[in-house]
Amino acid sequence: TVWIAKAYPTWQATILGVLRSLYCEKRGALPDNAAVSQALKPHMKDLGKQAKRAMPFVQLVRERFAANGQHVLDAKLDFDEQAVLEANYEYLTANLGLDADGLEICEAAASGDAKIMESVCPLEPMIVYQAAKPAVNVSFVNTALGSGLFSVNAVPVHDGDTVDQLAKRLLKSCRTSMLAAEVIDDLALYRYTDPVVGPRTLPPLPAKSLAVLAAGDKFTVDVTAGKIS
């Protein structure tokens, strides 16, 4: 999960307000840390336990100010950080080694976790890795004649996965050997109507032996028994 914030926590917003006022007084420059520390003294009680983090945050803002100018003193971003991350979703999952559906981008304010809400700020997201849900591995057989992709083995299915999520996971496994796998609309998943006879039937399979899975269908996984329904 990537936790983001659309606005600074109260203690950081207070510090930014002080820095903005000092910037205006200095007419285009930030004063040294001694002057900033003096200006923050009346606010230390309100900062509470975050007071010890005030000057490190000031230094961070100072570095951003030197690189990007006065807009870093604004309490809110001038762009949508979440939209940027979502636009690069596939790149992020690929580079983090996650399943195609393995990344959540959420607002820190909705976490209910005080540490996350106090630590996350605009441009400083927090990444929290979670253990993968228990899964049962499934093998897939391609019954389309003339295709170079015959089967894919050991694709994990987690309890609560939707068919669409599984399809994306399967496509990720296929991409190294099947260019057409880039197109999600070209993939349909079926199940055997008879789980005993179906796997023993040679392709092409009769239509009555297969049932198509709808994208929104959810799987129920019994890891102990190794069964999926």
Side-chain angles (χ1 to χ4, degrees):
T1 303
V2 177
W3 296 104
I4 64 161
K6 294 188 175 180
Y8 285 91
T10 303
W11 69 275
Q12 292 181 338
T14 298
I15 295 172
L16 287 173
V18 171
L19 291 175
R20 281 197 303 274
S21 64
L22 292 174
Y23 172 80
C24 293
E25 290 175 8
K26 288 290 183 179
R27 298 181 180 180
L30 288 176
D32 59 27
N33 283 349
V36 174
S37 180
Q38 187 67 28
L40 286 175
K41 279 186 177 181
H43 303 277
M44 285 301 180
K45 185 176 180 180
D46 292 335
L47 295 181
K49 62 181 180 181
Q50 302 297 341
K52 62 183 179 181
R53 301 174 62 186
M55 292 312 296
F57 180 65
V58 168
Q59 185 58 35
L60 175 64
V61 174
R62 189 183 297 280
E63 292 171 1
R64 289 179 179 172
F65 178 85
N68 301 301
Q70 72 179 78
H71 72 86
V72 301
L73 302 178
D74 296 334
K76 291 186 178 181
L77 294 178
D78 55 3
F79 65 92
D80 190 331
E81 184 176 7
Q82 183 169 356
V84 172
L85 291 173
E86 289 175 348
N88 292 277
Y89 188 92
E90 290 188 8
Y91 172 82
L92 292 171
T93 53
N95 281 272
L96 291 172
L98 302 174
D99 287 335
D101 59 322
L103 179 66
E104 289 185 297
I105 302 170
C106 307
E107 284 193 52
S111 68
D113 187 312
K115 181 179 178 181
I116 290 176
M117 290 188 286
E118 288 294 337
S119 300
V120 178
C121 64
L123 297 179
E124 292 288 337
M126 176 186 288
I127 300 177
V128 178
Y129 288 92
Q130 299 168 334
K133 296 178 182 177
V136 171
N137 289 333
V138 175
S139 296
F140 293 85
V141 176
N142 181 15
T143 62
L145 298 177
S147 170
L149 181 65
F150 301 107
S151 64
V152 179
N153 298 316
V155 178
V157 180
H158 307 282
D159 187 52
D161 276 350
T162 65
V163 171
D164 184 58
Q165 288 174 322
L166 180 58
K168 291 177 180 177
R169 194 173 301 140
L170 177 60
L171 286 169
K172 185 177 179 181
S173 298
C174 295
R175 283 193 176 111
T176 56
S177 56
M178 186 178 182
L179 294 179
E182 293 285 348
V183 184
I184 185 70
D185 293 337
D186 287 347
L187 180 66
L189 299 184
Y190 294 79
R191 63 174 178 83
Y192 293 114
T193 53
D194 186 329
V196 176
V197 176
R200 293 177 170 82
T201 305
L202 294 175
L205 300 175
K208 65 180 182 179
S209 68
L210 298 173
V212 67
L213 300 176
D217 288 347
K218 289 189 176 182
F219 295 99
T220 299
V221 176
D222 185 338
V223 177
T224 303
K227 294 183 178 180
I228 298 175
S229 58

